[in-house]
Amino acid sequence: MARPYNFAAGPSTLPESVLKRIQSEIMDCGCGYSILEASHRGAVVMGMIRDLRARIRSLLNIPENYDILFCPGGGHMQFAMVPMNLLGAGTLSTYIITGSWSKAAAKEALRFGRVQTAYNGSGTRVPGDDEIEINPETSYCAYCENETVHGVEFKVPPSMEATPSVPLVADQSSNFLSRPVDVSKFGLIWAGVQKNFGVPGIAVVILRRDLLGLASNEVPMMLNYSVYSRSESVMNTPPVFALYVSHLMAQWIEEKGGLEAMNRLAIERSTIVYDAIDSMPEMYTGHVEKDSRSRMNVVFRLRDEQLTPVFVKEAAAAGLVNLAGHRSVGGLRASLYNAMPPEGAVALANFMKDFAHRHPLNVTVPVAGGN
Ligand SMILES: *Cc1c(COP(=O)(O)O)cnc(C)c1O
């Protein structure tokens, strides 16, 4: 039986070849027993972690003055680790708010000091550089590059030209390894891996080395980036299975042609679904301004909101699963991460057309200039 296309926002779809490789290796990872049974300090696991780090460095072309850490605790732990480690002796951090994830990050930072909001948006677009005002006294400026819930994505990072000494911090959880990145523009990039690069359990942290060692003595060992750096991220027993799946994902991305190819595919997939929305304005609508549309999370609604549960149910019956929007915004959301084949986007667009034919409109349509 064919597997459905899974549009879940995270944990999310994995390439079939990666799942099959997990299946084939789970009893014996090549050493006679399972990687799930191997010591985290043995050659198999340490070798895999070093190789994973090398592959991430090569995929993103990460300069040598950046370290690559693997931290347990997922995205929310980074919301705390960033201020705990980067505030240093300072008391002020800066956040660019573009949706619910950057808002959550700023809220957590308030536990550790003052927070300046450099831009406060409502989740419909990302700001232009002229709309962002960064206090030069701040310890760092954080933003979320792709808002998974609202479906807005920065095309390029905010410019730090006016405040070049302020480290830029990016949450790339939901667009990690989906396009080439100029890492030298950042002080720190982090990403929970369960959206685009594996299964829950770790966040990848890419950190300029001069930002290590700023945490105070009160910061617990497990929340201190320096401890991860010194121990090659094996201070204690790490989540080996999550590291193992990301190791397979890195190889899969390389086989597919690297980050240029990931970006081409991401644009192809998302364009197919946005074109479907735009071609049926009487049926579907999106709240995100076109220039800010995410390549990863296509968020849209039916004009007749009462049809939303019907859409979700009929789509699932047609093999297109997990299309309901986030509980906080409702509507529909199609997450189109690295592992989603373009055929999945085509199948969704065809279903949207078919659904529109089968459920003729019973609401009034705005005449012109709809969004
Ligand atoms: C999912 C997500 C998070 C939260 O990740 P958890 O691992 O569930 O804590 C944070 N930021 C972004 C952009 C996300 O997509």
Side-chain angles (χ1 to χ4, degrees):
M1 210 179 76
R3 283 160 37 83
Y5 291 113
N6 179 5
F7 296 94
S12 44
T13 193
L14 290 165
E16 214 162 288
S17 63
V18 165
L19 289 169
K20 287 195 170 133
R21 197 165 150 196
I22 296 169
Q23 187 178 41
S24 76
E25 292 178 355
I26 205 70
M27 294 300 284
D28 177 0
C29 62
C31 63
Y33 48 90
S34 173
I35 193 140
L36 304 183
E37 303 169 299
S39 161
H40 56 292
R41 301 204 189 275
V44 172
V45 172
M46 281 309 291
M48 174 196 63
I49 292 174
R50 285 183 187 133
D51 192 57
L52 169 60
R53 193 179 287 109
R55 286 176 195 272
I56 293 171
R57 190 176 294 283
S58 150
L59 278 168
L60 277 167
N61 204 8
I62 300 175
E64 274 309 314
N65 62 327
Y66 287 76
D67 210 340
I68 303 167
L69 316 176
F70 304 113
C71 301
H76 279 75
M77 188 116 117
Q78 293 312 308
F79 290 162
M81 281 181 83
V82 165
M84 286 174 114
N85 284 271
L86 298 195
L87 269 176
T91 56
L92 180 69
S93 60
T94 297
Y95 284 76
I96 297 169
I97 312 281
T98 49
S100 52
W101 286 123
S102 47
K103 203 176 205 168
K107 194 171 168 207
E108 187 72 355
L110 266 177
R111 295 178 193 276
F112 305 98
R114 292 176 298 133
V115 170
Q116 183 224 346
T117 304
Y119 172 80
N120 200 354
S122 57
T124 59
R125 65 184 186 95
V126 299
D129 287 334
D130 55 344
E131 295 172 278
I132 301 173
E133 226 168 291
I134 298 165
N135 183 329
E137 306 296 315
T138 195
S139 292
Y140 63 87
C141 175
Y143 76 110
C144 176
E145 200 163 276
N146 181 71
E147 289 281 3
T148 320
V149 174
H150 287 88
V152 304
E153 183 180 27
F154 283 80
K155 279 205 172 68
V156 291
S159 164
M160 297 300 285
E161 257 169 40
T163 50
S165 62
V166 174
L168 183 63
V169 174
D171 172 359
Q172 290 189 355
S173 293
S174 49
N175 67 355
F176 191 53
L177 297 177
S178 72
R179 63 184 175 194
V181 173
D182 180 358
V183 173
S184 70
K185 290 201 164 115
F186 296 87
L188 188 153
I189 295 169
W190 66 265
V193 301
Q194 71 271 25
K195 313 283 162 69
N196 243 334
F197 191 52
V199 298
I202 49 166
V204 178
V205 177
I206 300 161
L207 164 74
R208 217 173 58 213
R209 290 185 207 271
D210 62 284
L211 299 173
L212 286 165
L214 300 177
S216 79
N217 277 334
E218 278 143 42
V219 170
M221 195 168 58
M222 284 300 290
L223 295 170
N224 189 329
Y225 288 138
S226 299
V227 172
Y228 289 84
S229 174
R230 280 200 299 272
S231 64
E232 294 186 56
S233 300
V234 189
M235 198 285 292
N236 72 333
T237 321
V240 172
F241 188 69
L243 291 161
Y244 163 68
V245 177
S246 286
H247 188 230
L248 300 183
M249 279 302 295
Q251 293 165 67
W252 180 84
I253 292 171
E254 289 163 8
E255 283 158 21
K256 286 277 166 187
L259 301 190
E260 298 280 2
M262 288 300 112
N263 191 29
R264 262 198 314 279
L265 287 164
I267 292 168
E268 183 185 336
R269 287 186 301 259
S270 55
T271 302
I272 289 166
V273 181
Y274 285 123
D275 282 352
I277 296 168
D278 294 342
S279 69
M280 294 174 275
E282 73 290 352
M283 192 75 189
Y284 303 103
T285 172
H287 67 284
V288 178
E289 291 185 17
K290 285 194 177 166
D291 279 353
S292 299
R293 282 174 161 180
S294 167
R295 297 163 307 136
M296 296 285 129
N297 310 97
V298 178
V299 175
F300 61 109
R301 319 184 82 84
L302 285 150
R303 290 227 186 250
D304 179 359
E305 297 270 4
Q306 286 177 351
L307 279 177
T308 305
V310 182
F311 183 100
V312 171
K313 199 169 156 213
E314 290 188 2
L320 309 167
V321 300
N322 295 320
L323 283 161
H326 189 267
R327 60 188 184 280
S328 64
V329 296
L332 299 162
R333 171 173 55 175
S335 294
L336 308 167
Y337 297 127
N338 283 346
M340 175 62 66
E343 292 79 12
V346 172
L348 174 58
N350 287 340
F351 174 81
M352 288 167 68
K353 282 174 202 138
D354 181 54
F355 187 84
H357 286 305
R358 284 185 294 109
H359 296 275
L361 174 80
N362 54 7
V363 290
T364 324
V365 187
V367 180
N371 60 349

